Amino acid sequence: MPRIAIYGAGSVGGYLGARLHEHARVTFIGRHRVIDTLRLSGISWSDLHGGSGRIGAKALDLQLDPFAAAKAHLVLVTVKCSATAAVARELAEVLAPGVPVISLQNGLHNAKVLRAALPGHPVLAGMVPFNVLRRDRGSFHQGSSGQLMVEADPSLAPFLPLFANAGLPIATRNDMPAVLAAKLLLNLNNAINALSDLPLREELSQRRWRRCLALAQREALAVFTAAGIHPARLTPLPARFLPHVLELPDTLFQRVAAKLLAIDPLARSSTWEDLESGRATEVDAINGEIVRLAAQHGMTAPVNARLVALIRQSERRRTTWQSEQLLQELRQSRPAYERPMAIL
Ligand SMILES: NC(=O)c1ccc[n+]([C@@H]2O[C@H](COP(=O)([O-])OP(=O)(O)OC[C@H]3O[C@@H](n4cnc5c(N)ncnc54)[C@H](OP(=O)(O)O)[C@@H]3O)[C@@H](O)[C@H]2O)c1
C-alpha cells in the first residue's frame, strides 16, 4: 500500500488520516498535544451522513519527528497557515526526490510557500470544503458537506482511486487559485462564527449574523474585482450572488441554503476551536488577506480589518458578541459615505 504522511495531525489531518487508514499506510506527524492523545485513545471519525470508524492506538503510526515523512509516497500538509513556512523547511530536509505534496489548507499562498522550498517536488494546492471538528480526545467529526479539490497533476494518478475508495473522492481542477479565492470568501465567516460562539448552523440560521458575513463578502468581492481575481463557482450559485442569498429572510434562506450546503448541528469554525483552546487563529491569512489585497490596489477593507482586530482582541481575552452588536460594529467601520442612508 502507498505510504501517506499527514503533516500536521490536527482536525483536518486527523480526520483525513483516519479515513485513509484502511487504504494506505498512514503516518500521522504532529505535536505532543494531539499525538499523545492519539497514543492513548486511538482515533475515531464520524460524518454528517452517519458514517463512522475507529482505529485502535496500536494500529496507528504516530510520530513527532519530521523524519517520519522520509518514506512517504505522498504528503498531505494540514497545518495552519502560520506553520507552512516552517513545515516547508522541515520537508525539504527529509522528503525523497519527486514525492508529491498537497497543501490542504485555507488561504491563498500556502502552495507557493511550499513550492519555493521544495523544488523538484510536485507541490499541489488543494482545498477541503467541509468543516472538521475535533471532539473529545481522538475523535474527528466532518460537520458539513463537499468534495475535496486538488490541482490536476499526473503525479496524483496512483492516489486518486484510494481517496475515492476511502469515501473521499477528489475533484482535480485546473483553476485552483479561483477555487481558493472562492473558499476564502466562505472562510470570511470563520471569524464571525467564532465571535458568535454559536454552532455554524445556528449562526447561519440568523439573518443578522448572515448580514455580517454579507458585508465582509461584498467588500472581498470588490477587492477581488480590483485584483483581477475571479472566484470559482463552488456552489450552484456564482460567488457574486452569495451576499444576496445571505441577506434573504430566514425561511427563504433556509430553503435556498438546503440546496447549497449541508451542515450538521455540531459544526463550528476552526477559528472558534482555536480561540477555545487558546491558540493563535488564521485570521491574518483569511480576513487579513482581503485587507492586504485591498491595500495593494489602493483600496481599504474596513469590515475585514475590523474582524481581524476583533479576533486579535479575542485571542488575548475571549469575547463573544450579540448579532445586532456585531452588525452595528461592522457597519460603522465603513466610512459614512459608503453606508446605506437608513443607518446614517
Ligand atoms: N478545521 C476545519 O474545519 C478546516 C476545514 C477546512 C480547511 N481547514 C484548513 O486546514 C488547515 C488545518 O486546519 P486544522 O483545523 O486541521 O488545524 P489544527 O487542528 O490546528 O491542526 C494542525 C496541527 O498541526 C500541528 N503542527 C503545526 N506545526 C507543525 C509541524 N511543524 N510539525 C508537525 N505538526 C505541526 C499543530 O500543532 P500546534 O497547534 O501545537 O501548532 C496542530 O496540531 C488550515 O489551513 C485550515 O484553515 C480547516
Side-chain angles (χ1 to χ4, degrees):
M1 284 205 283
R3 290 175 189 273
I4 299 185
I6 305 282
Y7 212 99
S11 299
V12 168
Y15 178 74
L16 297 180
R19 296 214 56 174
L20 289 167
H21 188 264
E22 270 183 33
H23 307 271
R25 281 184 282 181
V26 176
T27 300
F28 295 86
I29 301 163
R31 299 290 199 212
H32 273 291
R33 189 175 59 88
V34 175
I35 295 296
D36 292 352
T37 305
L38 300 184
R39 278 186 182 141
L40 283 176
S41 63
I43 198 166
S44 58
W45 66 270
S46 56
D47 69 16
L48 70 166
H49 310 297
S52 64
R54 199 190 124 62
I55 304 144
K58 282 191 182 145
L60 296 173
D61 183 12
L62 301 167
Q63 304 289 342
L64 295 164
D65 188 339
F67 191 70
K71 287 188 182 160
H73 301 125
L74 173 69
V75 178
L76 307 182
V77 175
T78 56
V79 294
K80 291 270 165 56
C81 303
S82 56
T84 307
V87 163
R89 286 191 297 274
E90 288 165 12
L91 287 175
E93 297 279 310
V94 300
L95 282 195
V99 168
V101 175
I102 304 178
S103 153
L104 287 169
Q105 301 164 277
N106 286 328
L108 301 185
H109 305 298
N110 294 293
K112 207 179 345 171
V113 172
L114 291 164
R115 232 168 254 142
L118 296 166
H121 293 270
V123 177
L124 309 171
M127 194 274 285
V128 179
F130 47 76
N131 170 268
V132 179
L133 185 68
R134 182 173 172 223
R135 293 157 79 185
D136 23 320
R137 304 185 72 77
S139 161
F140 299 92
H141 178 75
Q142 177 185 336
S144 61
S145 56
Q147 187 177 14
L148 295 176
M149 294 182 186
V150 177
E151 199 173 335
D153 190 84
S155 65
L156 288 181
F159 305 105
L160 294 177
L162 76 86
F163 276 83
N165 293 338
L168 295 168
I170 297 184
T172 54
R173 308 273 303 208
N174 293 310
D175 61 345
M176 277 311 291
V179 167
L180 292 178
K183 181 71 195 303
L184 194 76
L185 276 180
L186 304 178
N187 286 139
L188 297 178
N189 188 48
N190 289 8
I192 298 165
N193 176 257
L195 294 171
S196 78
D197 198 23
L198 294 172
L200 272 172
R201 192 158 90 177
E202 195 178 334
E203 176 225 330
L204 289 172
S205 71
Q206 299 175 30
R207 195 183 195 186
R208 283 191 192 127
W209 292 119
R210 296 197 305 276
R211 283 190 152 145
C212 295
L213 177 56
L215 283 174
Q217 286 191 342
R218 282 216 165 84
E219 190 175 87
L221 283 162
V223 171
F224 281 167
T225 302
I229 295 172
H230 305 286
R233 184 170 170 162
L234 296 183
T235 68
L237 280 177
R240 67 180 185 284
F241 290 160
L242 292 175
H244 301 288
V245 172
L246 290 168
E247 287 185 336
L248 291 172
D250 289 341
T251 29
L252 204 52
F253 173 79
Q254 266 148 32
R255 254 183 269 156
V256 178
K259 294 194 172 68
L260 303 181
L261 178 72
I263 307 180
D264 80 11
L266 295 177
R268 304 260 191 173
S269 76
S270 58
T271 305
W272 176 86
E273 263 195 273
D274 287 336
L275 290 183
E276 285 298 298
S277 51
R279 289 181 296 162
T281 69
E282 285 186 306
V283 72
D284 190 52
I286 300 176
N287 307 81
E289 183 63 45
I290 303 300
V291 177
R292 269 191 304 279
L293 261 179
Q296 282 163 18
H297 293 86
M299 302 168 76
T300 58
V303 171
N304 283 288
R306 192 73 198 120
L307 285 167
V308 173
L310 295 178
I311 292 292
R312 289 269 176 264
Q313 225 172 62
S314 222
E315 284 172 351
R316 291 189 295 274
R317 186 167 165 273
R318 185 80 172 99
T319 43
T320 57
W321 287 68
Q322 299 302 310
S323 55
E324 182 57 33
Q325 193 194 8
L326 185 65
L327 188 56
Q328 282 302 324
E329 180 83 11
L330 297 182
R331 281 176 169 162
Q332 279 165 11
S333 68
R334 297 182 303 170
Y337 61 84
E338 279 186 14
R339 296 182 215 153
M341 290 304 284
I343 64 150
L344 278 177

